[in-house]
Amino acid sequence: MLGAVLFSIGAVGVFTQRNALIIYMCIELMLNAVNLTIVAFSRFLNNLDGHVFVFMIMTVAAAEAAVGLAIIISLFRNKATVNVDEINLSKG
Amino acid sequence: MQLLIFSAFGVGAVVSALLMVTNKRPVRAAMSLIATMSFLAGLYALLDAHLIAVLQLIVYAGAIMVLFLFVIMLLNLEEKEGKLGGNVILLQAFGMVVVGLLLVTMVSLFQANGSLAAPGDVGAEFGTTKAVGKMLFTEYLLPFEIASVLLLAAIVGAVILAKRRIDDSERN
C-alpha cells in the first residue's frame, strides 16, 4: 500500500517537474517504493530472496545515479540549462 | 506499538515525498528526499530487514544524496520555471490518467487486503547480515558478480563522460 502511494507520487513528479535533477530524484523515489514493496512481500512470505533482489536494485540505482548525474553535468556545460523542455538534441 | 511506529514512519515518508515532488528548489527537494530515505530505512528495520535498512542509510542517504547535492551546488542553478507548451500539457494530462489508473489499482489492492496472509513468525536469523550474505554468496553468486561488473562499467562511463567535457573545453 505505502509502496504504491510512494510510487504514484514519484510518477507524478516525473511527469510534472521540468528540472532534470528533480526528475532523477523522483526516479530514485520510485525505485525505493519498489524496494519497500519487495521487502514487505519478502517478510510476509518468510523468504530471503527478496532481500537479495533489493540489494541488486540498490546497486543498479547507484550506478544509474552516477552515470545520469555525469550526463546532466555535461549537458549543463553544453546547453547551460537543466530544463528538459529546452534540451532537444535529438532533432539533429 | 509496531503499528504506531509503522504509521509514524509511513506518514513521514509520504509527507516528505510530497514535499520533494512539489518543491521547485533542487536543494530543498534533495533534503526532503533524504528524509524520505531515512523514514524508509526505519520501515525496513520494522520489516526485519536489518541489513537492507543499514544499506539504505549508507548507500542512499549517504552516497547518492551527497552526489546529488554535489551536482546541485556545482551547477549553481537559478530557479526559473520554463513555460509549458500545449504538447507538454497534453503529455501531463496523459501522465495524470496513468497515475489515476495506478491509484485505482491501489484501491482495489486495499480492498483485497483481508485476503492477504497474516505475517508468520520469522526466525531470529531473518534479514541479518549473516543470513543475507550466505544467500548472496551461494545461491546468487553470479548476479552478485554481474552487479560488480555493472558498477565497474558505471565508474568507467562516468569518468569518460567527465573526461570528454574537459577535452572539449581545452579544444575551444
Side-chain angles (χ1 to χ4, degrees):
Chain A
M1 267 301 292
L2 189 69
V5 173
L6 281 182
F7 189 87
S8 306
I9 295 172
V12 169
V14 168
F15 282 120
T16 55
Q17 280 285 347
R18 298 294 91 188
N19 190 327
L21 281 166
I22 297 185
I23 291 178
Y24 259 77
M25 288 183 211
C26 291
I27 292 172
E28 298 288 329
L29 183 63
M30 287 160 79
L31 281 167
N32 260 287
V34 174
N35 275 355
L36 180 65
T37 316
I38 292 176
V39 168
F41 272 112
S42 161
R43 169 73 174 77
F44 285 125
L45 298 176
N46 199 357
N47 188 347
L48 266 182
D49 290 1
H51 290 200
V52 179
F53 277 113
V54 170
F55 182 79
M56 297 298 167
I57 292 177
M58 276 186 176
T59 314
V60 173
E64 168 254 323
V67 175
L69 288 173
I71 292 174
I72 288 181
I73 289 181
S74 62
L75 262 181
F76 185 78
R77 289 292 157 95
N78 285 330
K79 307 275 284 185
T81 180
V82 288
N83 189 329
V84 287
D85 286 337
E86 296 170 19
I87 297 170
N88 42 15
L89 289 176
S90 52
K91 282 180 183 170
Chain B
M1 186 60 193
Q2 212 173 15
L3 189 70
L4 195 71
I5 300 175
F6 174 81
S7 317
F9 278 142
V11 169
V14 169
V15 166
S16 46
L18 279 175
L19 273 178
M20 181 196 97
V21 169
T22 52
N23 226 317
K24 294 270 187 285
R25 295 186 181 183
V27 177
R28 286 187 187 176
M31 289 301 169
S32 308
L33 187 56
I34 292 177
T36 312
M37 300 294 181
S38 309
F39 282 127
L40 279 179
L43 283 177
Y44 290 153
L46 209 59
L47 284 166
D48 290 320
H50 307 293
L51 175 67
I52 298 294
V54 173
L55 274 181
Q56 168 92 1
L57 272 185
I58 295 175
V59 174
Y60 270 115
I64 292 186
M65 293 321 293
V66 166
L67 203 64
F68 265 108
L69 283 179
F70 187 73
V71 169
I72 291 169
M73 294 182 178
L74 194 69
L75 296 186
N76 192 17
L77 297 172
E78 70 272 33
E79 300 131 30
K80 62 167 186 177
E81 195 64 5
K83 291 250 173 82
L84 299 179
N87 252 343
V88 182
I89 290 172
L90 263 182
L91 203 69
Q92 284 192 1
F94 176 72
M96 291 298 176
V97 169
V98 170
V99 172
L101 286 178
L102 271 178
L103 279 173
V104 169
T105 317
M106 203 175 76
V107 170
S108 59
L109 267 180
F110 185 61
Q111 283 166 347
N113 211 4
S115 60
L116 200 66
D121 279 337
V122 290
E125 284 265 296
F126 186 82
T128 57
T129 313
K130 190 180 174 186
V132 177
K134 200 178 277 177
M135 198 144 199
L136 203 58
F137 283 108
T138 54
E139 204 174 326
Y140 289 98
L141 187 59
L142 181 66
F144 183 73
E145 296 295 339
I146 293 175
S148 63
V149 174
L150 174 76
L151 278 179
L152 181 68
I155 294 171
V156 173
V159 167
I160 286 178
L161 277 171
K163 193 168 180 299
R164 195 177 56 199
R165 198 187 66 227
I166 292 169
D167 284 350
D168 286 349
S169 60
E170 277 172 356
R171 217 170 287 145
N172 289 334

